[in-house]
């Protein structure tokens, strides 16, 4: 399973704006940089086995819809 984190406005597209909810609710999958943005924004996270539900929780709680399931 993989999830994609959209880059955000400063990267020229809608996406992560640094709310931090993903890391608060599912810190075993999502981490933040020093500015509160998802550290993997603009990229893809390979979700380790057993953390799929945490990954899906992050998709649900992101207020920007920046996290999506990737193929
Ligand atoms: S919850 Fe969404 S907007 Fe907030 S840091 Fe995570 S990916 Fe970015």
């Amino acid at each position: 399973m993989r999830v994609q984190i959209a880059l955000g406005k400063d990267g020229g597209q809608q996406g992560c704006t640094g709310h931090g909810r993903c890391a608060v609710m599912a810190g075993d999958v999502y981490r933040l940089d020093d500015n509160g943005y998802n550290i993997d924004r603009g990229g893809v996270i390979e979700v380790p086995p057993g953390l799929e539900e945490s990954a899906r929780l992050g998709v649900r709680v992101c207020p920007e819809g920046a996290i999506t399931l990737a193929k």
Side-chain angles (χ1 to χ4, degrees):
M1 178 184 188
R2 304 194 306 163
V3 290
Q4 188 166 1
I5 317 295
L7 185 59
K9 290 177 181 170
D10 61 349
Q13 57 182 283
Q14 288 188 321
C16 177
T17 54
H19 295 279
R21 287 191 197 173
C22 56
V24 170
M25 299 299 292
D28 44 3
V29 174
Y30 303 103
R31 296 171 298 139
L32 305 180
D33 64 18
D34 290 341
N35 295 316
Y37 290 87
N38 190 301
I39 203 166
D40 294 301
R41 69 191 178 119
V44 170
I45 299 173
E46 296 280 351
V47 179
L51 296 182
E52 292 89 351
E53 194 50 42
S54 286
R56 290 190 186 94
L57 177 59
V59 172
R60 292 197 299 273
V61 301
C62 177
E64 302 297 332
I67 307 172
T68 54
L69 298 179
K71 295 177 182 170

